[in-house]
């Protein structure tokens, strides 16, 4: 599996395209806010002859779903999200307006609900859903065990963790998720977070103050 990272919108959210040698791909957290950001994604997909088959949401916060409507309209793909964050997606346009953004409301008639441990496939690649509540109630990570790659959303960042002071956030829950579901992954696992640079499980276990218990 190969990955491409796009830093998008004012919050520098990480939108990812994951693809393999079959040409099929998934788009993860499409937070594109502008036409130029959308075009960058289109150009990459077209220049690499990729075929999007799924839109994967790590959680429902507005900065991660700004481009959902564009993606589903352009490639007619289903949207995968945990049911506990489905309500946030259904009110995405309203939430964006509260922060001064005007987006197209993502469709909700194409939603597929995911659950902990579920396996999602595209091409020859398999991703496992890991439910990691704490940043939001329905936050998930997507893990490819074959390539040891984790799309961590806003659960884990390089040197930090997702904030828990927003509605649905819970510090005890996120620490439970991190210590018992994420920190136990293979040390060489690449972590591709929802904001900021990539890291590894080994680096976070040894240097992240939250995981070190400091």
């Amino acid at each position: 599996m190969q990955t491409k990272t796009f830093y998008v919108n004012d919050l520098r959210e990480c939108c990812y395209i994951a693809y393999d040698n079959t040409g099929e791909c998934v788009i993860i957290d499409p937070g594109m806010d502008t036409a130029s950001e959308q075009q960058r994604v289109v150009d990459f997909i077209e220049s690499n002859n990729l075929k999007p088959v799924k839109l994967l949401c790590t959680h429902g916060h507005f900065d991660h779903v700004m481009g959902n409507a564009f993606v589903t309209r352009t490639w007619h793909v289903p949207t995968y999200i945990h049911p506990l964050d489905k309500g946030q997606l259904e009110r995405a346009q309203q939430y964006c307006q509260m922060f001064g953004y005007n987006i197209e409301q993502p469709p909700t008639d194409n939603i597929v609900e995911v659950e902990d441990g579920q396996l999602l496939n595209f091409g020859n690649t398999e991703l496992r859903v890991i439910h990691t509540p704490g940043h939001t109630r329905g936050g998930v990570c997507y893990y490819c065990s074959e390539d040891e790659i984790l799309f961590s959303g806003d659960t884990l960042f390089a040197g930090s963790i997702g904030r828990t002071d927003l509605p649905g956030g819970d510090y005890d829950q996120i620490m439970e998720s991190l210590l018992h579901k994420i920190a136990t992954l293979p040390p060489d696992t690449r972590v591709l977070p929802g904001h900021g640079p990539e890291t590894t499980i080994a680096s976070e276990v040894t240097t992240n103050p939250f995981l070190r218990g400091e």
Side-chain angles (χ1 to χ4, degrees), residues 115-126:
E115 62 182 17
D116 189 51
Q118 183 176 350
L119 299 177
L120 304 178
N121 297 91
F122 66 94
N124 295 321
T125 303
E126 184 175 81

Side-chain angles (χ1 to χ4, degrees), residues 32 34-46 70:
M32 303 91 72
T34 65
S36 62
E37 291 175 347
Q38 294 168 355
Q39 192 60 48
R40 284 166 52 205
V41 173
V42 170
D43 289 346
F44 180 83
I45 288 173
E46 292 183 347
F70 173 79

Side-chain angles (χ1 to χ4, degrees), residues 18-26 49-54 121-125:
Y19 58 103
D20 64 19
N21 57 9
T22 69
E24 289 195 351
C25 71
V26 295
N49 298 312
L50 301 180
K51 178 186 177 182
V53 294
K54 291 179 173 69
N121 297 91
F122 66 94
N124 295 321
T125 303

